[in-house]
Amino acid sequence: MIGTVEERLRAGSYTYLAVRPDSGGPMWAVTLGGGHPVGARVSVRSFGRRTEFASRRLQRTFPVLVFGVVSRADER
């Protein structure tokens, strides 16, 4: 999935990113490291997903959370 980062939340060694695809509503993805800044075009490669995922560190529950690698999308 390719989209634009709308929100970024740091939680220890993880970063949660709200990514809005070109069509449809935003989805949350979590990745190791710093992630990408708000406004960046990114590609999310999913390794799995959870529903109703509760982050203790953020004290927040995500209805759907994708676990994966987030990299900068190619801008051609």
Side-chain angles (χ1 to χ4, degrees), residues 13-57:
S13 59
Y14 295 94
T15 301
Y16 292 75
L17 300 169
V19 178
R20 180 174 296 275
D22 294 336
S23 61
M27 58 156 262
W28 281 95
V30 64
T31 190
L32 282 170
H36 297 278
V38 170
R41 293 276 296 160
V42 295
S43 173
V44 179
R45 191 168 114 200
S46 174
F47 292 115
R49 62 189 279 151
R50 296 271 309 268
T51 57
E52 298 304 318
F53 180 82
S55 167
R56 289 184 209 153
R57 183 168 287 196

